[in-house]
Amino acid sequence: MNFPRIPQASPGANYRACAGEIDAAIRRVLDSGIYLSGAETAAFEEEFARFIGVAHCVGSSSGTDALWLALAACRIGEGDEVITVSHTAVATVAAIELCRAMPVLVDIDPRSFTLDPEKLGAALSPKTRAVIPVHLYGQSADLEPIFKFCRQHDLRLIEDCAQAAGAFYRDQRVGSIGDAAAFSFYPTKNLAALGDCGAVVTNSPELTTEMRALREYGWRDARRLSAGPGRNARIDEIQAAILRVKLPRLDENNARRQEMAQAYSERLASIDEIVLPAEMKFRRSVFHQYVIRSRIRDALVQHLGDAGIGTTIHYPVPIHQQPAYARGLARSSPANQAEPLPETMSAAAEILSLPMFAELDLSQVEVVTATIRKFAGKK
Ligand SMILES: Cc1ncc(COP(=O)(O)O)c(C=O)c1O
């Protein structure tokens, strides 16, 4: 396989940008002899909670487990329904299933690719217990109407912030608005570890106590005494130490992504075949991905690939059409209707993620946009 000249994502570049400090942090953990549940985890949890603007953070083994911890701590389980979107990473829905609850999948707003609050009413049933808006591609969902809906119907609001670390909704960071919020630090994320891990943040001391027990075999008051259900869903010390090096750079890296996104949008503005990412009022994206829409998407992928430019289609198959999920959705799910989720379906056919990472430079954006312009017959 030939590696693209310009990759779509580059976890290696993100490591190299602070390699010396990361190597020293790893060495510090190795020398300490403590590899789990130590000082690095405690310090990262405190620093990340402060960064988001909440009282508590619980590190976890992945973003999927972070969602699971949040749902399980809210006592969501068999017989319950959880509303989320079909246009997301499969992990969002997998976490609902891990709790044995039923996913109810609703359509997205086509401009922001996030949960359309107008669709919540039709998805509500007596079994509904929670809503998970996904802040997809770096952009917050429209949280105010979702928050109101949840309060009105006594539902838990759990934010999926896996793709939006550092983003704001109005003047608050995403993750500080719901009852709890899950983050992933998968190596391509805006805040990236060098392996799998995640975290849940919340202002609730009760949920925090519950999640700390759930992530470690149900241990609550004493080690090796399981007071309730639980399993191993911990973050490890090396990943926590790496995240402590990267967290102080997150806002700067997100600003850099925004700068590159603006450069893309300026250079692609006049191409009829391409719809650019929408700028939403009060919720500026941190561009985990720069996602365009195009009816000529598949030809464009081929053309960019031939030119050595990496692209990805994030979510070519919506969750409600995945073999594992197509039959298992709650009966009330709008995804089960005759022509389900039209905006989700058309997004899946048109979306394309162009190269985007904090270390991308303007000359690479010039190459990508010139290649696209040439393909579209523009000078
Ligand atoms: C929207 C979304 N939710 C949840 C997850 C799960 O995170 P992880 O891969 O760390 O389990 C991811 C990342 O893949 C994601 O993109």
Side-chain angles (χ1 to χ4, degrees):
M1 180 186 158
N2 287 332
F3 285 101
R5 201 158 46 105
I6 304 177
Q8 200 271 321
S10 183
N14 196 238
Y15 161 65
R16 286 190 293 278
C18 46
E21 275 181 70
I22 288 179
D23 293 356
I26 294 173
R27 177 93 262 155
R28 186 172 73 230
V29 175
L30 295 178
D31 289 342
S32 78
I34 296 170
Y35 306 124
L36 284 164
S37 311
E40 300 290 344
T41 297
F44 172 69
E45 289 178 340
E46 199 197 308
E47 288 157 14
F48 193 61
R50 195 176 328 124
F51 175 83
I52 297 297
V54 294
H56 309 283
C57 169
V58 178
S60 65
S61 40
S62 70
T64 311
D65 282 337
L67 282 166
W68 171 77
L69 283 169
L71 288 162
C74 292
R75 307 269 158 101
I76 288 164
E78 201 150 4
D80 295 333
E81 294 181 359
V82 177
I83 302 174
T84 191
V85 285
S86 186
H87 185 68
T88 181
V90 79
T92 313
V93 179
I96 298 169
E97 294 218 313
L98 276 172
C99 296
R100 298 169 186 267
M102 274 286 196
V104 176
L105 304 182
V106 298
D107 214 352
I108 50 168
D109 155 44
R111 294 178 68 235
S112 67
F113 300 112
T114 60
L115 189 151
D116 180 351
E118 298 279 314
K119 301 293 189 293
L120 285 171
L124 188 70
S125 92
K127 295 179 183 172
T128 311
R129 294 283 317 286
V131 178
I132 306 182
V134 182
H135 306 313
L136 204 71
Y137 305 142
Q139 185 158 61
S140 173
D142 191 5
L143 283 172
E144 192 176 322
I146 299 172
F147 183 90
K148 279 191 188 148
F149 183 86
C150 288
R151 288 297 167 268
Q152 199 179 349
H153 299 284
D154 195 20
L155 309 175
R156 293 291 199 162
L157 171 55
I158 297 172
E159 298 175 64
D160 184 339
C161 301
Q163 301 192 6
F168 283 85
Y169 181 77
R170 297 183 188 271
D171 57 354
Q172 280 179 271
R173 297 241 191 223
V174 300
S176 64
I177 294 157
D179 294 290
F183 288 81
S184 163
F185 306 125
Y186 180 82
T188 58
K189 297 293 196 256
N190 291 37
L191 178 59
L194 300 181
D196 273 319
C197 57
V200 193
V201 297
T202 180
N203 280 313
S204 160
E206 293 80 22
L207 290 182
T208 304
T209 304
E210 195 65 32
M211 290 190 289
R212 289 197 185 286
L214 281 163
R215 78 168 168 184
E216 205 167 39
Y217 317 114
W219 295 349
R220 192 180 290 263
D221 301 319
R223 290 181 71 75
R224 297 191 179 74
L225 185 65
S226 296
R231 60 185 181 81
N232 176 358
R234 294 176 296 234
I235 188 172
D236 70 67
E237 286 285 284
I238 288 183
Q239 298 306 334
I242 292 165
L243 290 169
R244 294 185 66 204
V245 173
K246 293 196 177 185
L247 181 59
R249 295 169 162 84
L250 179 56
D251 278 337
E252 196 185 316
N253 282 346
N254 283 344
R256 176 83 190 155
R257 286 174 183 262
Q258 286 166 338
E259 215 180 294
M260 291 305 106
Q262 195 180 332
Y264 269 129
S265 294
E266 281 165 12
R267 286 158 181 76
L268 296 174
S270 55
I271 302 178
D272 295 340
E273 294 88 344
I274 287 176
V275 179
L276 301 174
E279 291 217 12
M280 312 301 293
K281 220 176 169 191
F282 307 127
R283 39 185 176 134
R284 191 172 177 212
S285 179
V286 291
F287 289 99
H288 174 56
Q289 303 294 349
Y290 183 87
V291 180
I292 58 169
R293 297 182 69 137
S294 178
R295 295 229 162 94
I296 55 162
R297 190 257 320 265
D298 294 343
L300 197 53
V301 169
Q302 180 72 44
H303 183 73
L304 289 166
D306 290 347
I309 295 166
T311 57
T312 305
I313 299 166
H314 283 100
Y315 322 125
V317 183
I319 308 295
H320 71 282
Q321 294 206 324
Q322 302 261 349
Y325 294 99
R327 281 183 298 277
L329 299 169
R331 198 158 293 172
S332 57
S333 183
N336 285 343
Q337 288 157 11
E339 280 191 40
L341 313 185
E343 297 300 349
T344 297
M345 296 305 293
S346 83
E350 293 177 2
I351 48 168
L352 185 64
S353 303
L354 299 182
M356 176 51 79
F357 44 96
E359 296 73 21
L360 188 72
D361 66 38
L362 200 52
S363 69
Q364 292 172 308
V365 172
E366 299 278 9
V367 172
V368 177
T369 52
T371 309
I372 295 174
R373 290 179 68 81
K374 202 163 156 207
F375 182 69
K378 298 268 175 188
K379 283 279 171 289

